[in-house]
Amino acid sequence: GTGVVLMLLALLLTLSRGAWVGAAGAAAVLLIFNFRRLTSWRLLWYLAPALMLLAAAAVAVPQGRAVLDRVRSSGDFGETAVSQRIGLWRTSLKMAADRPVLGAGPDSFPTLFASYRTPDQPGIGTGNVQPESSHNVFLDQLVDTGFVGLAVLLSLIGVCVWMGVRALPALDAALPGESSTSRAAMVGML
């Protein structure tokens, strides 16, 4: 109980929306595969105070208010962080279009960015803000290694997921109930 609350609090304070989405996906998988086991009202007695404590911390503590602001701004494409990411992704696609097959080489995004920067990205790529990547693993791979490298990366991910899914029945037979944790971990990492 306390460990889960501390982990959730740490996750929230990272202000990483991607981590929140991964954790929510993993939690959904855990609930789906363990719903029959959650019939006990005892669990509610443990979770309710923990959730109330998290909610109170989100409202009362300045970092908690920052988390709430971050959640609210997630769907706002005019918000600075969101619009900058979308701009970086568009720029990545332009870079990839110029070198579609084999890409521009390892870690080429920061080097190429200045020549691809658009007027709607005034502060990015200057001395104050130098992007190290597009903040998207797949677009970074596309820029660096082209469609060939991206296909290899997607194939590697696909094989890993396929092997993990194939191993779940054996895991469930060996350790009943633990395969749902493995499923949740796979979803959270994707």
Side-chain angles (χ1 to χ4, degrees):
T2 305
V4 171
V5 171
L6 289 175
M7 286 189 292
L8 285 174
L9 190 59
L11 180 68
L12 288 174
L13 292 176
T14 65
L15 298 180
S16 170
R17 290 179 270 220
W20 297 346
V21 170
V29 168
L30 279 174
L31 282 174
I32 289 167
F33 286 100
N34 292 309
F35 189 73
R36 284 176 276 152
R37 295 181 190 166
L38 297 176
T39 57
S40 171
W41 285 98
R42 271 191 170 156
L43 181 65
L44 188 59
W45 283 107
Y46 291 113
L47 283 180
L51 292 175
M52 286 189 288
L53 180 65
L54 278 175
V59 174
V61 178
Q63 291 88 348
R65 288 192 293 274
V67 169
L68 291 176
D69 291 340
R70 187 87 168 157
V71 169
R72 277 189 222 113
S73 69
S74 293
D76 181 9
F77 295 116
E79 194 261 334
T80 305
V82 175
S83 65
Q84 284 180 351
R85 289 282 168 93
I86 292 171
L88 290 172
W89 296 342
R90 286 184 185 138
T91 303
S92 296
L93 291 173
K94 290 176 187 171
M95 290 178 191
D98 286 347
R99 296 172 184 87
V101 179
L102 296 176
D107 296 326
S108 57
F109 184 89
T111 308
L112 294 174
F113 182 78
S115 59
Y116 284 88
R117 184 176 62 206
T118 60
D120 65 337
Q121 300 167 318
I124 302 177
T126 62
N128 296 337
V129 181
Q130 186 71 321
E132 61 201 34
S133 72
S134 67
H135 295 278
N136 183 306
V137 172
F138 303 107
L139 289 177
D140 284 340
Q141 191 70 29
L142 182 62
V143 169
D144 293 347
T145 61
F147 284 110
V148 172
L150 181 61
V152 169
L153 175 66
L154 292 173
S155 298
L156 178 64
I157 292 170
V159 166
C160 289
V161 168
W162 178 69
M163 290 177 69
V165 168
R166 285 195 55 206
L168 288 174
L171 178 65
D172 206 24
L175 300 166
E178 294 300 317
S179 64
S180 63
T181 306
S182 298
R183 286 181 177 104
M186 280 194 279
V187 169
M189 284 187 255
L190 289 177

